[in-house]
Amino acid sequence: MFTGLIETIGKVTRIRERGNYRVLTIAGLFDDEMLAVGDSICCDGACLTVVESSKDAFVVEASQETVARTILSEYSAGLKINLERALRADARLGGHMVAGHVDDIGVVEKVRAIGESLEFAISFNPE
């Protein structure tokens, strides 16, 4: 589970394909600890699992289904992305409960500026 609150900004440094998986190397770590293999990390809203980790970067793998249904299909080397670690059970919940798993793809039909905010109208298949 995630809170939906961005902890840091990462940078995609390498993208490669391994079979039907997209393998992403991401630079940009968290101040207080290094990620461990097996940790869940939210990358622009998609829940991915760390498969390698170093002091400067980490590696995640995304299945073809995840790539097809998220913004990961548009990733390129050099892109900056939003990162959040999975919520710990003993931590303060500062945002919302977010699963990080995709249920459907929506289409942004309209964006309207309201003061300093934006209002989005999004359509989706109700099934």
Side-chain angles (χ1 to χ4, degrees):
M1 298 300 281
F2 300 93
T3 65
L5 300 176
I6 299 162
E7 286 188 79
T8 191
I9 304 296
K11 183 177 182 181
V12 177
T13 59
R14 182 176 180 216
I15 299 174
R16 64 184 174 86
E17 307 299 323
R18 184 186 57 76
N20 60 344
Y21 281 82
R22 177 165 288 177
V23 181
L24 308 167
T25 302
I26 301 170
L29 301 177
F30 301 89
D31 293 336
D32 57 346
E33 64 185 69
M34 191 169 95
L35 295 172
V37 172
D39 282 353
S40 290
I41 183 93
C42 185
C43 299
D44 282 342
C47 176
L48 300 174
T49 302
V50 175
V51 296
E52 293 178 37
S53 184
S54 71
K55 65 178 185 127
D56 299 322
F58 63 93
V59 178
V60 293
E61 296 176 333
S63 71
Q64 72 281 1
E65 187 72 7
T66 299
V67 172
R69 296 190 178 273
T70 66
I71 197 166
L72 274 70
S73 64
E74 299 178 23
Y75 277 14
S76 60
L79 181 71
K80 291 182 179 178
I81 62 172
N82 298 321
L83 300 174
E84 179 194 357
R85 291 173 290 187
L87 180 63
R88 290 179 14 184
D90 65 344
R92 181 178 164 273
L93 178 62
H96 312 279
M97 296 295 279
V98 181
H101 296 268
V102 176
D103 292 318
D104 198 1
I105 296 174
V107 175
V108 176
E109 300 287 349
K110 183 173 149 183
V111 179
R112 181 173 70 131
I114 302 174
E116 295 180 26
S117 301
L118 295 175
E119 177 182 86
F120 291 84
I122 301 172
S123 64
F124 60 92
N125 182 341
E127 294 178 10

